[in-house]
Amino acid sequence: MAETLRVNPIQCSGHGVCAELLPELVTLDEWGYPVIDPRPVPPVLDRDARRAVSACPALALRLVSR
Amino acid sequence: MTTVVNQPAAGGAAQQAAGLPRLLPAAPEDLRAHLARYGPAPYRNQSGALIADIEASGLAGRGGAAFPVHRKLAAVARAGVRQGRTVVVANGAESEPASRKDELLLQLAPNLVLDGLQLTAEAVGAAEAHLYLHYAPGPQILRALAERAARGLDRIAVTITQAPPRFLAGQETAVLNRLGGGPALPTFQPPRVSERGLGGAPTLVQNVETLAHLALIARYGPRWFRAVGTATEPGSMLTTIYRPDGKAHVREAAIGTPLRTLLGDGAGVQAWLVGGYHGTWLPVPDTAGFTLDNASLGRSGAAAGAGVLAALPSGRCGLTEAARVTRYLAAESAGQCGPCLNGLPRIAAALAELAGSGHRRQTLDDLKRWSGPQNLVEGRGACHHPDGTVRFVRSALAVFEPEISRHARGICSATDRGPFLPLPPGMPTREEDWT
């Protein structure tokens, strides 16, 4: 089951934890807000992606199955 | 301030032969005149029957997004079966300051809109109906509701809610927020409002013009509707047109009508703005052969939107106009999403600098980075406000590029420095403006 990362942009306050834990799929824009790779999370990054989701202080990051 | 002129069939004989206008009578029609012309709303007494006709008609939403109406109807009806209740909303919050067509439609043909609201309520099995406006309801709409109630014409009561006159107040999730007693601010989807909307009920939000078309399709059928328009984008649409005189003309046009027919042949005009303030600038005369349909406009990345069309005269500075509108759009950001909150004010400030005299080189580079094809603003908000704003700015940078170079050398080619595109009088600044 392929999952993708999705950020709720209203919830997100730009802590940047996701980019720190998952630099392969998340970069920060020039204002510190995450730019998410829209492709499915590859199996090798699955654990890191879950960690990033649970570590988000704003609870703004999710894994959604598409 | 601009005055709105209802301009029936200015396209002449061809337009009249096509049976236009369909929606706008010359003067406000009360219930008696409405019933004499159309008869009562043709209820189907069977949920879903109308949906097949709407699908066959090819009606798309007229609020700007052109989403197929039958798909929303079917989604809400289906979700309603599961959840046991649904809600319908007529959206008349024409938040775009340049658009005047919904307001005029509600003045001239309120009963057509209300018929459409009742018919969609029947189609999706709704027991709750709302009319959402960004101004206090006018006498025509109040009278129509009272007359209909007195005659027992409406199957369900209609509640009017007034929204603040903000750009995003008509956005679908903002509508539901406001109807639920909150501020008229967009929220993050999913779930879609057709699945879980007002009070958790599947909710259908349709623009008031869409409902008026629907009320006519219910009477005359899909074939009648398709007699004008194109095969893929059937029917007519209301447009608000700004010719070089700066006055707003509301006019119903067949989809596919040449822009030239609506905006003039382009003489004395430097650019057309198509689709309003989330729309696209098109250079004239390069795009003079375009027609009012998304298949044609889409070739230049433009869309008809809610039908705002403007012809910017040669003697005006397009850069200054774009900067003014962008400043307004930035101020209208709900400020909820980082990319919009940070990006739009910077984009607006940079454009204002370009519209001044002698900008820094870095400013143009920044602006291109923020609004260019790989920009970091588009698609990153909960609603489409950043996307629409960036589209507007990107096209302005392309179309007014020569003017940017002139301004860099301290020259502005405008002979008339007065504002052309309309903006609301006071810029909103306070939190409570959203409620």
Side-chain angles (χ1 to χ4, degrees):
Chain A
M1 186 181 63
E3 289 183 305
T4 53
L5 281 170
R6 186 139 193 233
V7 67
N8 176 338
I10 296 179
Q11 211 87 31
C12 175
S13 40
H15 287 90
V17 177
C18 49
E20 220 162 281
L21 294 176
L22 194 59
E24 296 89 346
L25 296 179
V26 183
T27 53
L28 296 182
D29 68 15
E30 55 198 89
W31 308 301
Y33 287 83
V35 181
I36 312 274
D37 190 326
R39 290 172 297 185
V41 177
V44 63
L45 291 175
D46 191 72
R47 246 188 88 223
D48 290 347
R50 276 167 216 290
R51 270 181 64 215
V53 166
S54 53
C56 173
L59 307 178
L61 194 63
R62 286 201 183 162
L63 276 164
V64 293
S65 36
R66 284 259 150 112
Chain B
M1 201 58 215
T2 53
T3 49
V4 181
V5 182
N6 177 26
Q7 196 176 52
Q15 184 146 1
Q16 267 160 0
L20 297 184
R22 290 170 163 181
L23 300 183
L24 297 179
E29 272 189 359
D30 64 4
L31 184 61
R32 180 194 297 265
H34 172 78
L35 289 174
R37 188 198 287 258
Y38 299 112
Y43 290 107
R44 303 300 169 97
N45 296 315
Q46 164 187 13
S47 86
L50 181 64
I51 300 179
D53 276 354
I54 298 304
E55 179 169 9
S57 77
L59 176 65
R62 299 289 194 254
F67 191 80
V69 174
H70 76 272
R71 281 176 52 195
K72 264 194 184 177
L73 285 167
V76 173
R78 212 166 36 234
V81 171
R82 280 200 305 275
Q83 299 195 34
R85 79 186 187 97
T86 59
V87 176
V88 290
V89 181
N91 187 359
E94 190 171 34
S95 314
E96 162 114 25
S99 182
R100 309 295 291 276
K101 53 114 179 162
D102 289 337
E103 187 181 357
L104 189 66
L105 174 66
L106 283 168
Q107 277 168 25
L108 296 180
N111 285 290
L112 214 45
V113 175
L114 295 172
D115 281 355
L117 185 60
Q118 294 290 329
L119 290 166
T120 53
E122 185 193 36
V124 303
E128 186 178 336
H130 296 266
L131 173 61
Y132 182 79
L133 303 169
H134 70 300
Y135 48 84
Q140 293 89 357
I141 192 80
L142 292 175
R143 181 173 173 196
L145 283 169
E147 287 176 338
R148 295 167 76 94
R151 298 197 40 171
L153 286 182
D154 286 345
R155 297 196 169 174
I156 57 175
V158 178
T159 307
I160 298 181
T161 298
Q162 195 181 332
R166 303 290 304 255
F167 192 81
L168 296 178
Q171 199 270 347
E172 197 170 70
T173 57
V175 171
L176 293 201
N177 241 356
R178 184 77 193 98
L179 291 179
L185 290 170
T187 55
F188 181 65
Q189 297 190 80
R192 293 191 164 281
V193 305
S194 56
E195 294 284 327
R196 185 140 41 96
L198 192 59
T203 303
L204 181 80
V205 180
Q206 290 290 359
N207 166 264
V208 290
E209 182 195 339
T210 311
L211 293 172
H213 285 292
L214 181 143
L216 292 179
I217 295 166
R219 289 176 165 92
Y220 306 134
R223 278 193 59 183
W224 167 85
F225 184 70
R226 286 179 168 275
V228 303
T230 71
T232 50
E233 296 167 66
S236 59
M237 66 183 286
L238 297 180
T239 60
T240 311
I241 298 174
Y242 294 82
R243 298 217 187 89
D245 66 4
K247 274 194 196 131
H249 302 261
V250 172
R251 163 147 176 224
E252 185 175 346
I255 296 179
T257 300
L259 289 185
R260 241 189 241 139
T261 308
L262 301 166
L263 284 167
D265 62 4
V269 168
Q270 54 175 314
W272 288 337
L273 176 63
V274 173
Y277 296 167
H278 274 178
T280 307
W281 290 99
L282 297 174
V284 175
D286 310 26
T287 55
F290 279 31
T291 51
L292 181 70
D293 55 276
N294 290 338
S296 166
L297 295 169
R299 288 200 296 270
S300 276
V308 171
L309 306 169
L312 185 71
S314 304
R316 305 281 184 144
C317 176
L319 199 52
T320 304
E321 286 296 322
R324 274 178 59 240
V325 170
T326 305
R327 191 175 142 255
Y328 162 75
L329 292 172
E332 287 295 300
S333 167
Q336 299 186 113
C337 304
C340 191
L341 172 71
N342 288 292
L344 264 46
R346 286 175 170 88
I347 288 173
L351 200 54
E353 188 179 327
L354 296 195
S357 163
H359 62 264
R360 291 165 297 147
R361 191 198 170 89
Q362 181 65 35
T363 303
L364 187 55
D365 292 346
D366 285 345
L367 195 47
K368 283 185 172 161
R369 188 174 73 254
W370 294 326
S371 65
Q374 299 296 318
N375 73 79
L376 292 177
V377 174
E378 208 167 357
R380 292 184 62 218
C383 74
H384 292 303
H385 188 52
D387 314 356
T389 305
V390 162
R391 182 165 51 229
F392 176 88
V393 170
R394 188 190 301 146
S395 67
L397 292 181
V399 171
F400 303 122
E401 195 175 11
E403 190 66 18
I404 295 175
S405 315
R406 278 194 286 274
H407 279 245
R409 301 193 306 271
I411 306 159
C412 174
S413 61
T415 52
D416 184 343
R417 308 299 292 267
F420 182 73
L421 295 169
L423 289 179
M427 286 285 204
T429 50
R430 300 165 310 157
E431 281 289 304
E432 54 268 34
D433 289 340
W434 287 101
T435 54

